[in-house]
Amino acid sequence: MRKDIHPEYREVCFMDISNGFKFVTRSCVNTRETIKMEDGRELPLFKLETSSESHPFYTGTQKSVDNMGGRVEKFRNRYGKVARPKAAAGK
């Protein structure tokens, strides 16, 4: 393989800025900041707006469409009984 054409693949600390949750994984992402970890390592830091610790789907706080004031039921009651035109026979 040719040298100096591949991005640097290294350990990076990802931090959820909404709640401070941090996790370390390997990545090629470009970063401008570093963070000192509890074990003494200094790692590149990438800040996230949301992660599995703060996303409503994973935390169980996401609202279901069926639980939003019966909107789905209202739609079905209003438009569920509309008769469709029958296809012409023999065409």
Side-chain angles (χ1 to χ4, degrees):
M1 289 195 300
R2 292 176 33 197
K3 293 183 179 183
D4 301 325
I5 64 167
H6 300 285
E8 183 184 358
Y9 185 63
R10 71 228 187 272
E11 284 191 329
V12 177
C13 178
F14 289 86
M15 183 172 72
D16 187 336
I17 59 174
S18 66
N19 63 5
F21 175 71
K22 296 182 274 192
F23 63 95
V24 176
T25 187
R26 296 185 60 82
S27 178
C28 295
V29 68
N30 292 325
T31 62
R32 295 182 184 164
E33 300 177 55
T34 60
I35 188 170
K36 183 106 173 169
M37 301 301 289
E38 292 81 18
D39 60 3
R41 297 182 295 169
E42 189 162 333
L43 297 175
L45 175 65
F46 188 84
K47 294 181 179 177
L48 303 168
E49 292 183 18
T50 187
S51 68
S52 61
E53 289 292 313
S54 63
H55 193 280
F57 178 79
Y58 296 106
T59 60
T61 59
Q62 182 176 9
K63 294 181 180 177
S64 173
V65 174
D66 291 332
N67 296 336
M68 297 180 72
R71 291 182 189 174
V72 173
E73 197 59 39
K74 286 179 188 177
F75 178 84
R76 287 182 182 152
N77 289 339
R78 183 177 293 170
Y79 299 107
K81 298 175 185 172
V82 175
R84 293 184 179 167
K86 294 182 180 179
K91 286 190 178 182

